[in-house]
Every structure is written in structure tokens, then in C-alpha cells.
């Protein structure tokens, strides 16, 4: 019977409390062969070893029981109990083979509809409960219902995700309002973190997203963020330049030509109301 890689991978997924990356599974296969080789060497050594230069023990004194002869150390033999799992194990499993197996397991879990899903995150693959069972999970853990992020916090999170690393001043320049409350809330939820300090006066803190943000959005990496004409890096840079260096509009920008720009005296005379013609005419006798 051929080695069943899918059954082994499924068992490892169920037994692990942490996400399993492709490399973790490849390392497990390599350790299996290392242990198999070491066990074979120990068994061979135990079978072929002969005591050399041993001296026959002296006869025990009368009335003294003879000491038991030393027995050779036993070597645990983990012989294959299930050929489907332990025989004909390939020396190397490719990443493509493991991804195909993961896809098959994910499809089988969805088809079974037993409340389990296989998802791939930034750290690897893991088994999770279906969102339909979220309420039961919270009841088991005695956790309160999740609180949704406000629109302001979501806007702040979007700016950080697309612009990171970004300072609080840059966030406020882009959004036009204070970002202190939103940043504090996002830090409490572990969706963002401090990534360093900007090379600016005062060395302000810079913020970026966390692995929990990737789990929150279902992304494997920041590179998978959807393209946006509004939140692209170029667009955000333009907003920052305009916010940090506001332009002062002159007459030309306001639509006034040079001919329409009048001197102050002329403008003042033009602004005086015209006198009625009856007042200017001389009285007739």
C-alpha cells in the first residue's frame, strides 16, 4: 500500500495548535528519515556487538547467591504499525505536492460541512471553526461578543495598511481629523503596532499592521491588499504633499487676468456711486 500523504498531513493539522507552514511539513518528513536511519544503525549495532576481552566472573562464595549477568541494553524498535503511514515514505515532499494536498483537504472539509475549515494565513495553514459557530465558541470561552470597529477606526486602519510605516501626523494630514483615539483602539486590538521612529523632527512613532491584521482581513501578506485609486501609495503621497505644503492661490489661479487687475485708486473711484444727472445741471430761470 502506497504512503498516504494526505492522511498524515491531516493528522498533523489536527495535532498542531499553531499554523503549519509548508516548510514545517517538509522538515517533519526529513526528521522521519533521520530517526529511521538512526534507529536502523542502533539495531544493527546491538545485533552485531560482541563483548571483547571479558573476564569470567569469580565463583560466588558459599551461601551467597550469584549476581545476575548483565543483559544487553534494549533498543526501542518503532517498527511500522501501519504501512499506509510509515512505509515507502518519500525522502522529499515538494511544496507543490503539499499545496495540492492542502487544497484537497480544504475541499473535503467544506463538502463535509462539519464546522471545520482549512485556511491559509501569513504563518501557514491551520484548522478553524466555521464562522457560523462563533457564538458557541464565545459561550464556551465565556467571551463577550466582538465590538465592531467604527468608521473612523477603519479609515485610520486603511491609511496605515496602505501607507505603512506612517506617523500619526501623516495620518491626521491625510484624514484631516485627529487620529489619537483610532490609533489607541487599533493598538488595543493588536491590529497595528509601533514599527520604529521617523527621521523627522521629534522622532515621531511610526505605525504598521500586525499578523493579526492579516488574520482579520484574511490576507496572506500586505502585498495582497486590493489595488485602490484612492488609497494607493502615490495618491497618499500626493495628499501628504498638499497637506504639508499648502499652495496659496493667486489672481491667476482664481481666474483673474492681468487686464482685470485694477489699481487701488481706479478701483476706489469705480466703486463710488454715480451722482444723479439732475443734481449736476444748472437751474434755469
Amino acid at each position: 500500500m502506497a504512503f498516504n500523504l494526505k492522511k498524515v498531513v491531516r493528522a498533523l493539522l489536527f495535532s498542531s495548535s499553531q499554523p503549519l507552514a509548508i516548510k514545517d511539513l517538509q522538515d517533519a518528513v526529513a526528521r522521519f528519515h533521520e530517526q529511521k536511519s538512526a534507529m536502523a544503525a542502533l539495531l544493527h549495532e546491538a545485533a552485531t556487538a560482541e563483548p571483547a576481552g571479558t573476564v569470567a566472573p569469580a565463583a560466588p562464595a558459599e551461601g551467597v547467591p550469584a549476581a545476575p549477568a548483565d543483559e544487553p541494553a534494549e533498543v526501542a524498535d518503532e517498527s511500522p504499525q501501519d504501512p499506509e503511514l510509515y512505509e515507502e515514505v518519500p525522502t522529499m515532499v515538494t511544496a507543490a505536492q503539499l499545496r495540492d494536498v492542502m487544497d484537497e483537504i480544504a475541499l473535503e472539509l467544506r463538502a463535509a460541512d462539519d464546522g471545520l475549515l482549512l485556511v491559509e494565513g501569513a504563518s501557514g495553514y491551520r484548522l478553524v471553526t466555521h464562522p457560523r459557530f462563533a457564538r458557541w465558541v464565545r459561550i464556551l470561552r465565556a467571551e463577550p461578543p466582538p465590538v465592531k470597529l467604527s468608521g473612523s477606526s477603519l479609515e485610520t486602519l486603511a491609511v496605515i495598511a496602505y501607507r505603512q510605516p506612517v506617523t500619526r501626523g501623516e495620518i491626521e494630514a491625510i484624514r484631516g481629523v485627529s487620529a489619537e483615539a483610532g490609533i489607541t483602539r487599533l493598538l488595543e486590538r493588536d491590529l497595528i503596532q509601533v514599527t520604529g521612529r521617523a527621521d523627522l523632527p521629534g522622532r515621531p512613532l511610526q505605525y504598521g499592521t500586525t499578523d493579526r491584521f492579516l488574520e482579520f482581513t484574511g490576507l496572506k501578506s500586505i502585498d495582497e491588499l486590493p489595488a485602490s485609486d484612492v488609497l494607493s501609495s502615490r495618491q497618499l503621497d500626493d495628499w501628504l504633499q498638499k497637506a504639508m505644503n499648502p499652495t496659496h492661490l493667486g489672481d491667476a489661479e482664481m481666474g483673474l487676468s492681468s487686464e482685470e487687475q485694477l489699481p487701488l485708486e481706479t478701483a476706489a473711484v469705480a466703486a463710488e456711486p454715480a451722482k444723479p444727472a439732475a443734481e449736476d445741471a444748472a437751474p434755469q430761470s
Side-chain angles (χ1 to χ4, degrees):
M1 183 180 295
F3 173 68
N4 194 322
L5 178 61
K6 184 166 65 175
K7 284 189 176 181
V8 173
V9 171
R10 187 194 295 267
L12 295 179
L13 287 169
F14 272 100
S15 65
S16 176
S17 59
Q18 301 295 329
L20 289 180
I22 295 295
K23 188 177 184 305
D24 296 332
L25 298 171
Q26 291 176 323
D27 291 343
V29 173
R31 286 195 297 272
F32 171 85
H33 287 287
E34 291 174 1
Q35 294 179 4
K36 184 178 180 181
S37 300
M39 186 61 61
L42 288 174
L43 291 174
H44 178 74
E45 182 181 353
T48 58
E50 295 182 358
T54 56
V55 180
E62 186 177 354
V64 178
D70 293 337
E71 297 179 357
E74 294 184 358
V75 178
D77 181 13
E78 288 187 335
S79 58
Q81 301 296 325
D82 191 339
E84 190 180 17
L85 304 180
Y86 298 103
E87 288 187 359
E88 301 180 12
V89 180
T91 56
M92 184 185 67
V93 180
T94 64
Q97 288 176 315
L98 290 171
R99 289 194 181 94
D100 290 341
V101 167
M102 292 296 186
D103 292 340
E104 292 180 14
I105 295 175
L107 290 176
E108 291 175 358
L109 291 174
R110 287 187 177 275
D113 195 22
D114 290 334
L116 291 177
L117 297 174
L118 178 63
V119 298
E120 182 183 6
S123 303
Y125 295 86
R126 63 173 181 165
L127 293 172
V128 298
T129 54
H130 196 284
R132 292 184 301 155
F133 299 87
R135 183 178 177 185
W136 281 111
V137 174
R138 289 196 297 269
I139 292 173
L140 175 65
R141 298 178 179 177
E143 295 178 351
V147 180
K148 295 182 179 180
L149 291 175
S150 64
S152 175
S153 297
L154 285 175
E155 290 178 4
T156 301
L157 181 59
V159 172
I160 294 174
Y162 280 89
R163 174 66 178 158
Q164 60 183 310
V166 61
T167 65
R168 173 184 164 186
E170 291 173 335
I171 297 172
E172 293 175 344
I174 292 172
R175 296 192 60 237
V177 295
S178 174
E180 181 178 2
I183 291 175
T184 302
R185 191 171 295 109
L186 295 173
L187 286 171
E188 292 174 351
R189 304 214 175 177
D190 195 28
L191 294 174
I192 64 171
Q193 62 184 351
V194 176
T195 59
R197 290 184 177 273
D199 190 15
L200 296 171
R203 303 284 292 171
L205 296 174
Q206 291 179 314
Y207 300 96
T209 56
T210 62
D211 290 342
R212 184 172 178 81
F213 166 79
L214 298 177
E215 297 177 4
F216 176 75
T217 54
L219 302 175
K220 300 176 187 177
S221 67
I222 294 299
D223 297 334
E224 293 188 355
L225 283 171
S228 173
D229 294 335
V230 178
L231 289 174
S232 65
S233 297
R234 179 186 57 80
Q235 188 71 39
L236 293 176
D237 288 340
D238 292 343
W239 284 347
L240 284 176
Q241 289 294 333
K242 293 177 181 179
M244 299 298 184
N245 303 299
T247 57
H248 299 285
L249 300 179
D251 293 335
E253 288 78 7
M254 293 296 294
L256 296 176
S257 61
S258 57
E259 292 78 5
E260 295 173 331
Q261 298 177 10
L262 303 176
L264 291 179
E265 296 80 3
T266 306
V269 172
E272 293 181 357
K275 295 181 179 180
E279 295 181 1
D280 295 338
Q284 297 181 359
S285 54

